[in-house]
Structure formats: C-alpha cells, structure tokens
Amino acid sequence: MRGVFGTELTGEIANRVGKALGSYLANGRIALGRDTRVSGPAVERAFLDGVLSTGCSVERYGVLPISMISFETWRGGYNAAAYISASHNPPEYNGIRFRTSEGYGMLYHETEMMNLYEKGTFLKGDGKLTDRSPDDALRRYADYVEGKLTFGRPLRIVLDMGNGAACGTFPLYQRLGFDCRVTNGEPDGLFPGRGPAPTEESLRDAARMVVETEADYGVGFDPDADRGLVIDDRGRIVPPEKVAVILAKERYAPGDKVVAGFDCSMIVERELLPLGFEVIRERVGDVFVANRVKEEGAVLGVERSAHLFIPEFQLSDDPFAMSLALGEIVSRGERLSELADAIPDYPYVQRSVRIEGSAADLMRRLEGDLAPLEPDTTDGLKITTEDYTVLIRPSNTQPLIRLYVETAGTDVEELVRRFMGFIEGATR
C-alpha cells in the first residue's frame, strides 16, 4: 500500500489495512516499525487502532530498518510484521508493507487479507500494544551477524544514511571493528541531505568522501533501509549484479542457486554459469525475488534496484548483511574496485514511454508483433540472444512501458531505435 499521505493514503485506509491484517492473523502477534517520514506517526496510529481493534497484539519498535524488523519477526516468533514506509518515494508519500513470520516479503494478494480488506468483514477484540527498544533490536542483530563474519583487517567505511531508518546503525559497524564515516546521519523525514532515493547522482558526496578519506568502500541506504548501493574505493557505484557475482564467487560454490530479477544484467549468467552456478530468473519485484529465493533454496537473490538477499543471514533483503559480507571479502586482500573491474561492463540503456489506455492491450499487440523473436513472457516480453537482451514491460506503478536494452556486441542505440519502433507502432 503506497500513496501520497492525506489523499491517496488516508488514515481511514491505514486503519482498514490494520483491521484486514489483524483479522487475517486472528489474535496473532505482530511486529511494527517505520522509517523517518513526517507522516509516519499518523499512519502508524491509524494502522495500530485498526490492528488492535481485532484483538491482535502489537509490539512497536519505532524507527528501525525494515531488515532488522524482519530479523526480529523471524527470530522473535512473531506471526507477521508491518512496516510504515514508502521506500524511496518523495517525502509526501507513505505506505504499509508486510513481512511473513519468517521475515521475508508477504505476497498478500495470495492470502485472505485482500478479501477481508475489500469485504470489510473484520474481527473484533481488545488487542495489546507493547513498546520495544530499537537499540536492543540492533544489539540482537549485531550479536547474530558477528558470529557469521571474520575480518582479515580493520576496514574504513562511509555510510550515507539518507536521513532515514539507517540512522543510528553505525554502532553495528563500529562493534565489528570498522572505522565509520557517516553522512546524512540525522533522522529527518523530509530527507534534506540528498533525497530519499540512493542513486549515482545523489550519492556523489558520499562517493567523494570515500575517495577523500581513503575508505575501503561506502554504502548509501534508502529510507526504510532494505536497499544499499555500494560505492567502491575509487568512488564508483558498483552495480548490484556485480555485488551479487562477487558474493557468489567468493562465498558460495558450484551447484548453488542464484535468483536474479528479470531486468538484471546478463553478467549474472555470463559470470556464474561457467562456474557451475544455477541462475534462476524471476519477475521484477523484491517480494517475488524473496519468495523465489525461499522456494528454490537459493544462496543469493538480487534485483537491479539493489535489493540483495543472503539467506545464510536471513530471508529478508538486508543491505547490512550484504555490506558486511562484502567487507569480509575485501578484508582478505583485493580492493573492491579490482574485484568489480574483473567483471565486464555491458552497455545497458533504459527508456520509458508514457501511454494512454490499457497497458495489457498494448502488451498483447507487442507480443504478436515480436512473436518471430520468441520472447519469454514471464514478466513482460524478454528477448535473449548471444549478443543482447531486450526487455519490454509495463511499470507496476505508473502509466509507462519500460524498455531495457543490454548488449555485449551489437550497437545498443540501434537496438533501442529498433525496439522503440515496435513500442511506438503498438501505441497507434
């Protein structure tokens, strides 16, 4: 659930969502957290009133990264978790996210929850609210991950907290012996430091700090801290697919499974298949990748948007575990820039086309036009050849058709022109 607070997402809607979750869980025990958004307390209050009115008990952690709420949910024996955030959306947005009892993304459309929401058939009861310490949760998480990591030398890291839920997590790194340099570390729901979305552009100051302080690497978090963009020692963003490849090569073994989002770079297959890994593609969306990782027993999951899943730590997307596992690798010798440069870069272009009318109808026309190329229809239309991949799919949130083109040899701009022609033809 996500939208502009006060119009698209109101207190009434948040209250109804709470009633739906509470009725679905029937006297269950729920963990609750949020990011730093200004509207967070208001959404939380409305949601809480709804959940408690069904008889469920809620344990509220306040501002804490969603990955740590996920950890608490799994290790603490909760029935589910809810989290108040709109992820990387602008400050005026907010939303409500859900986690299963094992801490990973809930496919709520596949539960009875949506039917309850729509029908309004809610349970009634007198629930109990308990407040939990976010600092205690951070310590429990640190206790857990510390036992899974061994560092060959002390590391220096730059942490761009983005004024979000990651603020205050630097003691985790300090406890593990890191020399931490923090930027945008003050909680502020307006995200004044560099905005809510970590991107190559918004992380320029953090990248400069990595170089100037001679740090080993840096990480830039989004407001709910389920994603972390990695900056190498030369101040360059390391694509999430490269991070996944490095982790797989250095931490796992031939025969292991890696799940990659449908729009991820072809480097995942090109680097890992020759080493004996199995690569499984899943539709775009962190919740879908999370569930596929669980189903397949994969050792890694990766989305192009920088969601990384490392089940040896937990099933949730977890940028803290990712950054620490990466640090363990770097501490053994090679610089992160050297590890990243050992993996080739392929030209990758994304275009968006605004549409009117039905995206489903347009995609059906495109499927007919592209039939001779035998596209994979798992998520949109994907064409894979020896030299290039092309993915055409509708946006999940906006009236857009997105085109992704990646090539290992063919002229990428020529491919963009060619397939944009198909899209424009289908819109007429």
Side-chain angles (χ1 to χ4, degrees):
M1 307 288 277
R2 188 184 300 180
V4 175
F5 178 67
T7 55
E8 297 169 333
L9 175 65
T10 63
E12 180 182 353
I13 291 172
N15 182 268
R16 191 177 179 93
V17 172
K19 289 178 177 178
L21 179 63
S23 299
Y24 167 61
L25 294 174
N27 297 310
R29 179 170 165 251
I30 300 167
L32 176 64
R34 63 181 175 88
D35 69 14
T36 57
R37 288 171 188 276
V38 174
S39 61
V43 177
E44 183 181 72
R45 280 194 300 272
F47 175 80
L48 261 176
D49 287 345
V51 175
L52 295 173
S53 74
T54 69
C56 281
S57 62
V58 179
E59 298 182 28
R60 178 172 59 185
Y61 286 82
V63 175
L64 188 70
I66 190 171
S67 50
M68 293 183 187
I69 287 288
S70 297
F71 174 79
E72 286 286 293
T73 303
W74 164 48
R75 300 286 284 191
Y78 293 87
N79 297 106
Y83 194 84
I84 311 300
S85 174
S87 188
H88 60 278
N89 284 51
E92 62 270 23
Y93 283 76
N94 216 324
I96 305 170
R97 307 182 65 186
F98 311 100
R99 290 290 189 258
T100 69
S101 60
E102 292 181 88
Y104 62 95
M106 181 189 293
L107 291 167
Y108 67 90
H109 280 284
E110 296 182 8
T111 72
E112 181 63 17
M113 184 179 165
M114 183 55 75
N115 289 335
L116 292 168
Y117 177 87
E118 292 172 345
K119 293 175 182 176
T121 50
F122 303 130
L123 297 178
K124 292 189 181 298
D126 187 13
K128 178 185 177 183
L129 174 63
T130 305
D131 282 314
R132 296 294 185 201
S133 165
D135 291 338
D136 289 347
L138 178 62
R139 279 192 290 272
R140 283 189 290 271
Y141 179 86
D143 288 341
Y144 176 74
V145 298
E146 185 175 27
K148 292 181 170 291
L149 298 158
T150 303
F151 297 96
R153 63 176 176 86
L155 295 168
R156 180 173 295 164
I157 191 170
V158 170
L159 301 169
D160 187 331
M161 306 302 197
N163 306 116
C167 294
T169 61
F170 66 91
L172 166 67
Y173 295 89
Q174 289 179 324
R175 173 171 165 175
L176 294 171
F178 283 74
D179 175 6
C180 300
R181 308 301 168 93
V182 175
T183 182
N184 299 316
E186 292 297 320
D188 191 326
L190 296 177
F191 313 115
R194 46 93 168 150
T199 64
E200 184 171 6
E201 179 62 32
S202 70
L203 293 176
R204 285 190 185 280
D205 287 345
R208 190 177 303 114
M209 185 181 293
V210 169
V211 175
E212 290 175 352
T213 63
E214 298 183 346
D216 292 285
Y217 61 109
V219 186
F221 300 96
D222 63 344
D224 54 357
D226 63 354
R227 297 188 299 133
L229 259 65
V230 174
I231 305 165
D232 74 10
D233 50 283
R234 294 176 57 189
R236 305 173 303 179
I237 298 295
V238 182
E241 296 95 327
K242 283 195 175 186
V243 173
V245 167
I246 292 168
L247 290 170
K249 286 181 175 180
E250 301 290 336
R251 202 168 183 90
Y252 303 108
D256 286 336
K257 297 177 181 179
V258 175
V259 177
F262 218 54
D263 59 344
C264 281
S265 168
M266 66 174 75
I267 66 171
V268 181
E269 283 89 354
R270 288 185 171 236
E271 291 294 307
L272 297 183
L273 290 181
L275 299 177
F277 288 87
E278 180 181 348
V279 177
I280 301 164
R281 289 283 178 163
E282 179 53 80
R283 62 181 293 190
V284 175
D286 60 279
V287 67
F288 302 116
V289 173
N291 278 264
R292 192 66 180 276
V293 167
K294 169 70 161 49
E295 292 168 6
E296 297 286 348
V299 296
L300 276 175
V302 57
E303 274 231 301
R304 189 167 184 84
S305 56
H307 292 273
L308 266 292
F309 304 82
I310 313 178
E312 67 169 293
F313 290 91
Q314 64 167 328
L315 288 168
S316 173
D317 34 3
D318 187 345
F320 303 100
M322 175 276 293
S323 64
L324 293 169
L326 199 61
E328 185 181 55
I329 293 166
V330 170
S331 76
R332 296 199 295 252
E334 282 190 88
R335 291 180 174 274
L336 181 55
S337 57
E338 294 169 347
L339 293 167
D341 287 343
I343 304 167
D345 291 299
Y346 300 120
Y348 191 108
V349 175
Q350 178 183 328
R351 296 280 190 272
S352 297
V353 178
R354 185 164 293 276
I355 61 170
E356 296 181 5
S358 168
D361 289 345
L362 188 149
M363 291 301 293
R364 277 193 291 272
R365 290 193 294 273
L366 274 170
E367 185 175 356
D369 294 341
L370 296 172
L373 298 175
E374 300 181 349
D376 183 333
T377 59
T378 300
D379 185 5
L381 302 167
K382 187 168 187 177
I383 297 146
T384 302
T385 73
E386 288 293 322
D387 289 330
Y388 67 84
T389 63
V390 171
L391 172 62
I392 303 172
R393 61 181 299 275
S395 166
N396 290 329
T397 57
Q398 301 176 72
L400 300 172
I401 294 292
R402 300 197 189 279
L403 169 67
Y404 308 84
V405 178
E406 184 178 28
T407 175
T410 310
D411 182 345
V412 68
E413 291 300 334
E414 190 278 327
L415 285 168
V416 169
R417 286 192 295 271
R418 177 184 172 192
F419 285 94
M420 282 291 287
F422 279 109
I423 295 172
E424 291 164 358
T427 61
R428 297 191 186 107

